[in-house]
Amino acid sequence: MHINSLKLQNFRNYTEAVLEFSPLTNMIYGDNAQGKTNILEAVYMFAQGRSHRAKSDKELIRFGADMAQLEITFEDADRSYTAKMRLCRRNSGKKSVWINSVPINKLSKLMSYLNVVMFSPEDLDLVKGSPAFRRRFIDSALSQLYPKYLISLSEYSKALAQKNSLLKQLKANGKSSDSLLTVWNMTLAEKGALIMKYRSEFLERLNEFASSIQKEICGEELRLEYSPSIKTENELDENEFLSRLEAAQEREILFASALLGIQRDNLSITINGKEARLYGSQGQQRTAALSIKIAQADCIQHIRDEYPVLLLDDIMSELDINRRMYLAQRIKNKQVLITSTDTDLTKSTAETHLFRIQSGSVIM
C-alpha cells in the first residue's frame, strides 16, 4: 500500500498545496511551526476519519476560510483510489467524504481503505501515560482493521452514556432500580463481550511482535498483557458480562457511574518483569513505545497482507543512534512520510524525496 499524491486547500496554514510522493522515503523538513505535521495530519484524516490532535474538525479549516478540501490518491495490491474530503466551518466543521466518487457516510467504511501507523513523541504516553491513552491506541488500531469493532464500540459508547445518565437520575431520586437499566446493561454486555474478545486476541498478537522487536533492539524482555476490568479464568461471554453488571448495580447507583466495563480496561506493559510505567527508565520506556508501534505495523501486515504507510512525526531526534539505525532498517523498502527540522537525521539517498516546508508552502 502506498500514497501517490495529496492536495490541500485551506487546510490548517495551507492555502494551496500539492505533494507527489515517492513509494519509499519522503522527508518533509523545515523549521518549527511551518506546517510539517499538518501534512501527516491530512493523511491521517483519510485513515482514521479524524485528526490525531484536534478536538474539532473546525480547527482544521484555515483561519478566514469557510471550507477546507483535501484529496488523496493511493493504491493497494488490488486497485487505485481517489479520496476527497470537505470540511465546512458551519456545523462545527462537518465533513463530507467520497472514495472514487462514492459518498462515504460511515466512519467504519472509510477506515477500511487506507492503513497508516503514526509515530510521534507523544507515543511515550503509551508506556507512562494513563489507561485512557492506551485504550485509545487499542481502539484506533482495531477500528482500522475491523469495521465491526468500530461499530460495536460506537454502540457501546452510546449505551454507556445513557446508562450513566440514568444512574445519576436514580441516585438523585433515591431509587434502587429501573427497567431501563436492564436494557442498557444488556446492550453493554452484548457489545462489551465482543469488544473484549477483539482486544484480547489483538493484544496477544501485538505482544508476540513487540516482545521480539524489543529483544532485537536492546535484549530486554517486553510483555504486553490485556488487563480487563472484568476478569475471568475463561473467555468472558455475554451472559457472564451481564451477570457482573447486575451484581454491581447497587454500587453503581451509589457512585452514579458505571464501574465495570470495557471503558475501564487497561494494557499492562512490563520490562524484565517490572511495570514499565513505574520502574522503566526514559530510554526503556521510549524503546518499548517504539517496539509497540512497529509491532502495530507488523500486525496490520499480518492481518491485511499489506504493510501500512508509516507517518513519522519528528521522532528521529527523540531516538539515540542505535534505535535510529534499527528503525531505519525496519522501514527500509516501505513507504514512509517523515517530518524533521534536519535532513541529516535520516540517511538521504536517491530514493528519498525531499519536501521543504516554509510558512504553509511546499518548496521542492
Side-chain angles (χ1 to χ4, degrees), residues 66-284:
D66 293 326
M67 180 175 63
Q69 296 190 95
L70 302 82
E71 180 177 324
I72 192 169
T73 61
F74 61 98
E75 57 188 85
D76 58 23
D78 298 321
R79 63 177 298 187
S80 299
Y81 304 90
T82 297
K84 298 180 180 181
M85 184 178 297
R86 181 183 299 147
L87 310 176
C88 296
R89 190 170 295 281
R90 298 187 303 275
N91 300 324
S92 300
K94 181 180 179 180
K95 58 178 167 275
S96 302
V97 184
W98 300 262
I99 293 186
N100 291 344
S101 300
V102 178
I104 302 297
N105 300 318
K106 293 184 178 179
L107 182 59
S108 57
K109 291 184 178 180
L110 173 65
M111 293 179 68
S112 63
Y113 286 95
L114 177 63
N115 292 138
V116 306
V117 172
M118 169 81 84
F119 295 71
S120 70
E122 290 74 27
D123 288 335
L124 190 58
D125 283 339
L126 270 174
V127 181
K128 62 185 294 186
S130 68
F133 191 95
R134 287 183 284 278
R135 284 195 298 272
R136 285 195 296 272
F137 162 73
I138 296 168
D139 290 339
S140 176
L142 279 166
S143 295
Q144 210 177 172
L145 290 166
Y146 305 106
K148 188 175 182 179
Y149 180 87
L150 180 57
I151 293 170
S152 297
L153 186 65
S154 176
E155 292 175 349
Y156 184 96
S157 297
K158 291 175 183 176
L160 180 64
Q162 294 285 357
K163 176 180 176 178
N164 278 329
S165 177
L166 179 58
L167 288 171
K168 289 180 175 64
Q169 294 176 29
L170 291 175
K171 181 178 181 180
N173 296 330
K175 294 184 178 181
S176 60
S177 65
D178 189 290
S179 59
L180 263 181
L181 194 57
T182 300
V183 174
W184 298 130
N185 278 338
M186 289 175 66
T187 300
L188 293 174
E190 177 191 357
K191 304 304 177 183
L194 180 62
I195 289 167
M196 287 181 66
K197 185 175 187 297
Y198 273 111
R199 286 180 176 181
S200 178
E201 292 176 354
F202 172 72
L203 290 174
E204 185 176 349
R205 183 177 291 118
L206 188 72
N207 175 66
E208 293 175 2
F209 285 115
S211 59
S212 176
I213 292 166
Q214 185 89 356
K215 179 75 76 173
E216 290 176 4
I217 295 176
C218 58
E220 294 177 331
E221 297 287 343
L222 173 68
R223 178 165 180 77
L224 313 178
E225 189 171 355
Y226 182 34
S227 182
S229 70
I230 302 177
K231 302 182 187 298
T232 60
E233 293 184 3
N234 302 312
E235 182 179 311
L236 185 71
D237 63 17
E238 181 180 335
N239 292 330
E240 178 64 19
F241 200 122
L242 179 59
S243 176
R244 296 294 186 91
L245 293 180
E246 290 174 340
Q249 178 173 306
E250 186 175 332
R251 287 197 307 127
E252 289 186 327
I253 294 175
L254 177 64
F255 286 95
S257 179
L259 302 178
L260 292 177
I262 60 102
Q263 75 279 5
R264 296 183 181 274
D265 289 354
N266 196 6
L267 168 61
S268 171
I269 303 174
T270 60
I271 300 174
N272 296 330
K274 298 179 180 178
E275 187 175 352
R277 183 178 65 86
L278 297 177
Y279 303 106
S281 67
Q282 186 87 346
Q284 287 178 314

Side-chain angles (χ1 to χ4, degrees), residues 313-331:
D313 188 16
D314 196 28
I315 69 160
M316 287 300 188
S317 60
E318 301 284 330
L319 303 176
D320 61 30
I321 186 63
N322 291 330
R323 288 164 178 79
R324 199 182 302 160
M325 290 177 63
Y326 178 85
L327 179 58
Q329 185 61 36
R330 284 299 302 255
I331 65 178

Side-chain angles (χ1 to χ4, degrees), residues 288-349:
L290 179 63
S291 297
I292 292 170
K293 298 298 286 191
I294 297 174
Q296 180 191 356
D298 289 348
C299 279
I300 292 175
Q301 183 181 37
H302 178 79
I303 295 168
R304 288 285 177 87
D305 199 28
E306 278 198 301
Y307 208 81
V309 177
L310 304 179
L311 309 178
L312 278 57
D313 188 16
D314 196 28
I315 69 160
M316 287 300 188
S317 60
E318 301 284 330
L319 303 176
D320 61 30
I321 186 63
N322 291 330
R323 288 164 178 79
R324 199 182 302 160
M325 290 177 63
Y326 178 85
L327 179 58
Q329 185 61 36
R330 284 299 302 255
I331 65 178
K332 190 176 182 180
N333 299 323
K334 311 290 193 305
Q335 187 178 43
V336 188
L337 277 60
I338 305 175
T339 66
S340 177
T341 56
D342 187 355
T343 57
D344 291 339
L345 284 176
T346 61
K347 184 179 179 182
S348 295
T349 67

